[in-house]
């Protein structure tokens, strides 16, 4: 899935280079979710998923970027976000996506939980090159 | 320098009211400050008010569970109060049910919970 940016404007790119950037990413996603008209619960789910993925990009990917914007398909509007890093990649995606599996000191819920919290979730990773996770939450 | 969240004291209870979206380091500072203050002030209880928090991700969720565990070890009880409904729904779907964390709907109910004698050991 190459994120189908269509609405109004190009997505903006936001750095995820230090832990303070996570606060900014959550704020950016919140503004988009509100503009998109997501329900309060869906806003909360999307922001939480974004926070998990941005933190992964920071901690495991050594930093990266978030591209986020509004999208439209089949008459529906949504918020899409792409979390990219050029870190070590994930050698066993199935394992990484398992509830409770962590290579560090986390709870191992970030990836699997984020997938449950959004409508579309796609992870592509190349060992040694990096990881990109694309998510979309559609307005109902 | 990173921010520190003020810790208030009411009788033998410590009260923390989280007002804004937190940087990770601020969350870690709070964990340490609370452990210090529980001992320094011989606190029996800790109330963490998260009613202003719009999201709780796995990092903050883990912090709440850790604070509850630390305070248990220091002979104090922790009650998390004011969780928003959307946050509760999201946390459960994320897979974080915060099993060992005692909660109450608001500050008043949290204080009432702390003033009751421990019925059985939490968790
Ligand atoms: N961007 C990434 N680059 C490399 N490895 C990653 C990346 N994201 C996740 N991983 C790997 O997948 C594992 C699972 O990630 P997940 O977010 O589910 O859990 P966690 O970060 O370990 O803990 P939690 O998110 O619950 O605090 C991580 O421990 C890490 O090994
Ligand atoms: Mg994670």
């Amino acid at each position: 899935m190459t994120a189908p940016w269509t609405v109004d404007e190009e997505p903006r790119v936001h750095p995820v280079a230090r832990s303070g950037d996570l606060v900014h990413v959550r704020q950016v996603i919140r503004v988009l979710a509100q503009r998109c008209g997501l329900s309060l619960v869906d806003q909360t789910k999307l922001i939480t998923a974004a926070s998990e993925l941005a933190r992964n990009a920071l901690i495991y990917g050594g930093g990266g970027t978030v591209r986020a914007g509004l999208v439209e398909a089949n008459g529906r509007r949504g918020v899409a976000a792409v979390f990219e890093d050029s870190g070590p990649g994930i050698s066993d995606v199935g394992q990484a996506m398992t509830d409770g599996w962590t290579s560090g000191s986390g709870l191992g819920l970030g990836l699997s939980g984020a997938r449950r919290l959004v409508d579309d979730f796609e992870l592509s990773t190349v060992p040694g090159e990096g990881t990109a996770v694309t998510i979309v939450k559609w307005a109902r | 320098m990173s921010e520190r969240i003020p810790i208030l004291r009411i009788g033998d209870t410590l009260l923390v009211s989280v007002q804004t979206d937190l940087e990770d380091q601020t969350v870690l500072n709070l964990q340490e400050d609370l452990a210090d203050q529980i001992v320094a002030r011989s606190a029996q209880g800790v109330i963490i008010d998260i009613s202003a928090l719009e999201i709780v991700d796995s990092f903050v969720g883990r912090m709440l569970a850790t604070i509850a565990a630390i305070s248990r070890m220091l002979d104090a009880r922790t009650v998390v109060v004011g969780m928003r409904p959307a946050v509760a729904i999201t946390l459960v779907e994320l897979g974080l049910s915060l099993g060992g964390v005692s909660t109450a709907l608001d500050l008043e109910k949290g204080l009432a919970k702390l003033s009751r004698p421990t019925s059985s050991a939490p968790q």
Side-chain angles (χ1 to χ4, degrees):
Chain A
M1 171 170 55
T2 39
W5 316 107
T6 48
V7 181
D8 304 342
E9 62 198 14
E10 283 289 297
R12 299 240 175 96
V13 182
H14 308 272
V16 183
R18 40 181 290 275
S19 92
D21 291 339
L22 301 179
V23 174
H24 175 70
V25 167
R26 290 193 287 262
Q27 183 57 34
V28 163
I29 300 292
R30 172 178 294 115
V31 168
L32 286 169
Q34 286 169 352
R35 277 178 54 201
C36 180
L38 294 187
S39 73
L40 187 58
V41 170
D42 282 349
Q43 287 180 34
T44 307
K45 289 181 180 182
L46 177 66
I47 299 163
T48 304
S51 185
E52 297 297 334
L53 297 172
R55 182 174 286 105
N56 280 353
L58 179 67
I59 293 177
Y60 304 109
T65 58
V66 181
R67 265 179 303 145
L70 297 177
V71 292
E72 200 172 303
N74 309 319
R76 283 192 308 176
R77 282 188 135 209
V79 178
V82 183
F83 303 80
E84 251 175 315
D85 65 66
S86 39
I90 302 174
S91 53
D92 187 339
V93 173
Q95 186 181 51
M97 291 295 304
T98 303
D99 266 348
W101 191 85
T102 176
S103 66
S105 58
L107 296 169
L109 291 175
L111 281 178
S112 50
R115 175 162 65 176
R116 282 190 292 271
L117 292 172
V118 298
D119 297 317
D120 301 346
F121 181 101
E122 194 188 274
L123 186 152
S124 60
T125 181
V126 179
E129 285 180 26
T131 302
V133 182
T134 303
I135 58 174
V136 185
K137 189 93 186 159
W138 297 103
R140 274 160 235 295
Chain B
M1 270 317 287
S2 55
E3 236 183 292
R4 299 193 103 86
I5 302 175
I7 299 173
L8 307 178
R9 185 168 61 116
I10 313 172
D12 53 13
T13 299
L14 301 179
L15 174 65
V16 175
S17 178
V18 181
Q19 287 303 323
T20 54
D21 194 359
L22 301 176
E23 281 198 31
D24 290 359
Q25 189 55 49
T26 312
V27 171
L28 296 175
N29 292 344
L30 177 62
Q31 223 164 268
E32 282 178 26
D33 291 349
L34 267 176
D36 288 346
Q37 293 287 309
I38 288 170
V39 174
R41 301 182 158 199
S42 311
Q44 298 286 296
V46 175
I47 290 196
I48 304 175
D49 183 352
I50 60 165
S51 55
L53 276 193
E54 291 177 337
I55 78 139
V56 172
D57 64 6
S58 67
F59 190 83
V60 172
R62 192 165 70 221
M63 175 277 286
L64 294 174
T66 305
I67 287 174
I70 292 172
S71 63
R72 222 166 11 241
M73 236 175 271
L74 298 173
D75 198 27
R77 286 187 289 159
T78 298
V79 181
V80 172
V81 305
M83 184 183 291
R84 298 182 178 202
V87 169
I89 293 170
T90 301
L91 273 178
V92 170
E93 202 160 318
L94 187 63
L96 205 67
S97 47
L98 294 184
V101 180
S102 179
T103 58
L105 288 183
D106 57 35
L107 186 55
E108 203 183 328
K109 293 195 174 76
L111 285 166
K113 203 165 190 172
L114 281 178
S115 68
R116 283 199 294 272
T118 340
S119 42
S120 57
Q123 218 185 355

